[in-house]
Amino acid sequence: MAVPYSPDVYLLAHRFPIKKYHAYLPWEADYAAHPWHGYNRDLCVDLPKEMPPAIYFDSWVIWGVHDPKKFMSCVVDLLRTHYTQIPQGSSVYIRNDRLSLPLLKQ
């Protein structure tokens, strides 16, 4: 998964995004709070149900205004509690249960 918006990551990894989420931008977070016609699309609800083995999280502040830490704080919380940043300082997070014990000790 790549959030909030990094379509090149899917192309380079030869992977498809998780269902419904090739991106998650501020207006999509707003839609999640006000869905139309029964089409629910809320990353904060769906992501904990199906946590991908890896997440590419770009902390890019969209248009210099929309900070992902604010409009998708649920993702930041999930990364903090269930993922490890590999390598430190990168944009790649690996789900903790996918890491080997020797790697965790480093």
Side-chain angles (χ1 to χ4, degrees), residues 67-104:
D67 187 344
K69 293 177 185 107
K70 291 183 182 172
F71 74 85
M72 52 193 271
S73 61
C74 61
V75 174
V76 175
D77 292 342
L78 195 75
L79 290 174
R80 189 178 316 113
T81 57
H82 296 288
Y83 288 80
T84 298
Q85 194 174 23
I86 304 290
Q88 192 69 322
S90 77
S91 297
V92 177
Y93 293 78
I94 305 297
R95 200 173 66 210
N96 291 336
D97 67 338
R98 292 294 181 105
L99 296 172
S100 65
L101 290 176
L103 185 58
L104 283 174

Side-chain angles (χ1 to χ4, degrees), residues 4-30:
Y5 181 72
S6 298
D8 55 322
V9 171
Y10 298 114
L11 296 172
L12 293 170
H14 303 281
R15 297 282 186 253
F16 290 109
I18 63 174
K19 185 180 178 185
K20 298 191 277 186
Y21 301 104
H22 72 280
Y24 200 72
L25 297 164
W27 40 93
E28 291 166 305
D30 185 53

Side-chain angles (χ1 to χ4, degrees), residues 11-65:
L11 296 172
L12 293 170
H14 303 281
R15 297 282 186 253
F16 290 109
I18 63 174
K19 185 180 178 185
K20 298 191 277 186
Y21 301 104
H22 72 280
Y24 200 72
L25 297 164
W27 40 93
E28 291 166 305
D30 185 53
Y31 176 86
H34 310 93
W36 292 8
H37 308 293
Y39 181 70
N40 294 320
R41 187 173 190 270
D42 188 343
L43 189 61
C44 294
V45 171
D46 293 338
L47 187 58
K49 291 178 186 174
E50 285 189 53
M51 295 188 301
I55 294 178
Y56 181 91
F57 177 74
D58 185 354
S59 59
W60 164 55
V61 177
I62 297 149
W63 299 331
V65 176

